[in-house]
Amino acid sequence: MNGIRVTAAVRVSAAAVMTVCLLGAGAGVTVAAPSPSPSPSTDTDWGDTKKWDGGLEVTVSKPVKFTPSPYSIGHETGNQGVKWRIKVHNGTDEAFQGALMTVYAKSGSDGDTCEQIFDGNLGAGIAGSVSPGSSGTAEFAFDVPRAQLTKVDLEVRPDFLGDGKHWVGEVK
């Protein structure tokens, strides 16, 4: 949709320039070129719901800091364990396969990849499938360097080939 707005703005600007050229600069016509619309931000606040074509919706909760157990996998001493509750609502006509959903986290201004933490059921994802009209919820956790908690980008992909949606913000 953003491409449509930009294309429309370019066409209007081109039409304004052509009008001035055809009427002549001395004709006293003043045409202001429209300023391009700002791009909508893909960054969202924690807690927002994102929608995919077809009816699938995902809501990502506010992040919660936690201390991984000594038996966790993916946690490095000195980093901060951060977890999110992710809810999938299946508004499609077919069962949603929870095992196909992937979640990624990047942190800091350089977008450093964060390791996923597996700790008991934490990180196991949505088991089985989610029926049409139903929801499934699971917690996902990542190991974030403490100095990079001011910007964390969490991406959810409902399947391996689909587009991901992003939730970006500070972990407090």
Side-chain angles (χ1 to χ4, degrees):
M1 182 141 176
N2 187 28
I4 293 170
R5 283 191 210 135
V6 172
T7 302
V10 169
R11 287 184 181 164
V12 169
S13 296
V17 170
M18 289 174 63
T19 302
V20 169
C21 290
L22 290 173
L23 293 175
V29 176
T30 304
V31 179
S35 60
S37 301
S39 305
S41 173
T42 57
D43 298 350
T44 63
D45 293 331
W46 307 118
D48 282 355
T49 299
K50 296 280 191 159
K51 299 177 183 180
W52 279 261
D53 292 341
L56 193 69
E57 298 179 2
V58 173
T59 304
V60 172
S61 72
K62 290 184 179 184
V64 175
K65 294 178 183 177
F66 78 104
T67 302
S69 77
Y71 306 106
S72 68
I73 298 170
H75 175 64
E76 185 178 311
T77 303
N79 286 348
Q80 178 63 60
V82 181
K83 62 183 176 179
W84 290 264
R85 188 170 174 82
I86 298 177
K87 176 184 171 185
V88 174
H89 177 74
N90 184 3
T92 71
D93 295 335
E94 297 181 13
F96 169 74
Q97 300 303 317
L100 299 179
M101 184 172 82
T102 53
V103 181
Y104 304 97
K106 295 175 281 308
S107 64
S109 59
D110 290 337
D112 294 329
T113 299
C114 299
E115 287 291 322
Q116 186 171 354
I117 297 174
F118 297 91
D119 196 355
N121 287 332
L122 184 60
I126 296 174
S129 62
V130 179
S131 300
S134 296
S135 297
T137 305
E139 286 187 317
F140 290 82
F142 290 88
D143 202 39
V144 181
R146 292 184 192 276
Q148 297 180 349
L149 291 169
T150 55
K151 183 179 180 186
V152 178
D153 178 334
L154 191 77
E155 178 183 2
V156 176
R157 289 179 176 233
D159 57 48
F160 297 119
L161 302 174
D163 290 334
K165 305 271 186 200
H166 296 261
W167 288 257
V168 179
E170 181 175 0
V171 175
K172 296 180 180 182

